[in-house]
Amino acid sequence: MDVTAYENNDYSKKADAGNVVALVDDLLARAVQSNASDVHFEPTGSGLVVKFRLDGVLGAVENLPKALSDNVIARLKVLGGLLTYRNDIPQEGRIEINQDHNDRIFDERLAVFPTIYGQRAVVRLFYKNKELMELKQLGFSDDIYTTLKMFAAKNQGVLLLTGPAGSGKSTTLAALLRHILSNFSGKSIVALEDPVEFRIEGVTQTQITPHGQMTFPTALRSLLRQDPEVLMIGEIRDAETARIAVEAGLTGHLLMSTMHSGTPAGAFLRLLEMGIEPYQVTSSISTVLNQRLVRKLCEKCKKTEPRTSVRGKNKLQERVFEAVGCEDCFNTGYKGRVLIAEMVELDSYLRKAILAKADLEELEALLMSRGHTNILTDGQRLVSDGITTQDELNKVCGIV
C-alpha cells in the first residue's frame, strides 16, 4: 500500500488540536472507503502506527505521535463499550456502525490487547457484499460447485472447510446454508458460531461466548436432542467438539464446519490426532474443502507482456499479465480478491489409507496418483485468464 495516498489527510493538525474523536472517526471512515478488512493500531517506542489490511495485505497508512497513542486507544474503547480504566487485560467489543456506513457495513468488532509499549487495538470491518450471497457467485470451479450442491442435497455426512483465517470460509458456509434454505425447504437448520458473522433468515443461529458456560460441545450435545437436520459449527477446535460432530454425521445429520489445516489430507490426520477412530472418520466425513483468497489484478492498470515459452520442440507465444499500480488500487497493482480451492471426496482408496493410518506424505501421494487437482493447479486458471499473477498465486500457496 502506498502510504503517500494518505499524506494529505492532515492528521498532525488534528492531533495538535487534540481532536482525537475526529481523528479516529476519519481513520475508520477512510478504512471503509478503501474497503479495508482490518484497521490495526500498533504502539511502538516512538508512536502509534495505523495500518489498513487491503485485499489481505497489511500496510502502514499513518504514524501518530506517542503523546496521542493512549487517547486514540481510549476513544476506540469508548466506541466499543470497553473498560477504559483497564489497560492490563485483553478486551473485545463491538463498535456501533456509523449511519453513513449503514449501506456498506453490517458489523465492526474491536479487540484490544496490552503490549510493552501500550495497548494494541484492531478493528475488523464486515461488509455487506451482495455479490457473495449465493453459492454460484463465489467463484468455485465447476467441479467443486457441483460437488458442493450434491453435498447440500444429502441427508447426512460431514463437510470440513480448511484454510487460514481470512480465507473466506465463513462466507462459503453462509452461502451453502442459503443454498439449502432455498432448495430444500422445510429443514431444521441450526448454526453455532463464535461469533455470528452473517445473519441468515431461516437459520437458528446461536453465538458461543469464549469464556461462557455454553461451549461448543455443550451446545452441540443439547442441540442433537432438538431434532435438527442441518448443523453448522463455526470451528472444530478440540477433541470433544470433533467427537460430537463426527457422531452427528453418523446419526443422520448433515453437518458442516471449519478446521485449521493447510491441506485436505492434513484435516484427516488432525481428526485422528484428536482421538477420533479411523473407522469413524471414514464413515462420517464426506468432503474436505480447502480454500484461499488471492488478490485480483487491478483492471485499470494491469498490463500484458508477450513471452515465448518452450514446450518440447515447440515454441509458444503466451501473454503474461503483470501488476503495475495506480491511484485506484493504492499503487499495489491489485484490487479485490478471488477464490481458489481444492476438494477431496472420500473414495474406497482414501478410506483404506486412513484405516491403515497412513501418514501425511502417503495420503498426499495417493491423492496425486488419483488425479487430485490441488489448490495451486486450480489457481493456474486465474493466472491464464489474467485475473491474478503467478507471483501472487505462489505467495498465497506458500511457494518461494
Side-chain angles (χ1 to χ4, degrees), residues 152-155 176-189 201-203 229-230:
K154 292 181 179 180
N155 291 322
L176 195 55
L177 290 178
R178 293 189 191 97
H179 177 83
I180 294 172
L181 278 170
S182 60
N183 291 276
F184 307 99
S185 59
K187 285 195 172 183
S188 172
I189 305 175
E201 191 69 31
V203 175
E229 293 163 281
V230 180

Side-chain angles (χ1 to χ4, degrees), residues 263-266 268-269 272 344 347 349-372:
T263 64
F268 296 125
L269 295 182
L272 297 177
V344 170
D347 58 16
Y349 296 93
L350 194 53
R351 286 189 174 92
K352 288 178 183 177
I354 294 173
L355 289 172
K357 296 186 178 180
D359 60 22
L360 181 62
E361 186 176 336
E362 291 171 324
L363 289 178
E364 295 283 7
L366 175 60
L367 289 174
M368 294 304 294
S369 69
R370 301 285 296 160
H372 170 63

Side-chain angles (χ1 to χ4, degrees), residues 71-142:
N71 290 337
V72 169
I73 300 299
R75 174 57 184 168
L76 288 169
K77 290 165 77 172
V78 169
L79 290 173
L82 306 184
L83 301 175
T84 55
Y85 59 87
R86 292 301 303 268
N87 301 330
D88 57 337
I89 59 172
Q91 296 189 68
E92 296 179 7
R94 272 189 164 86
I95 295 177
E96 186 175 344
I97 299 169
N98 189 305
Q99 291 184 352
D100 295 336
H101 303 152
N102 276 342
D103 59 332
R104 299 194 60 198
I105 299 289
F106 70 84
D107 202 2
E108 284 187 55
R109 297 185 195 140
L110 170 67
V112 179
F113 196 86
T115 77
I116 59 172
Y117 291 119
Q119 296 173 90
R120 179 180 189 270
V122 176
V123 178
R124 299 201 66 193
L125 304 170
F126 295 84
Y127 294 85
K128 299 175 181 178
N129 197 333
K130 295 182 179 179
E131 289 80 29
L132 298 177
M133 298 285 285
E134 305 297 330
L135 197 59
K136 62 183 178 182
Q137 297 174 320
L138 300 186
F140 287 114
S141 66
D142 291 340

Side-chain angles (χ1 to χ4, degrees), residues 150-219:
M150 291 172 61
F151 173 81
K154 292 181 179 180
N155 291 322
Q156 74 175 73
V158 176
L159 167 69
L160 293 179
L161 267 70
T162 66
S167 60
K169 299 188 297 295
S170 297
T171 300
T172 297
L173 286 177
L176 195 55
L177 290 178
R178 293 189 191 97
H179 177 83
I180 294 172
L181 278 170
S182 60
N183 291 276
F184 307 99
S185 59
K187 285 195 172 183
S188 172
I189 305 175
V190 181
L192 304 176
E193 303 167 76
D194 173 24
V196 174
E197 293 195 10
F198 301 98
R199 287 168 174 77
I200 306 172
E201 191 69 31
V203 175
T204 300
Q205 295 175 273
T206 299
Q207 182 155 306
I208 305 298
T209 53
H211 307 294
Q213 291 185 342
M214 189 166 71
T215 61
F216 275 115
T218 301

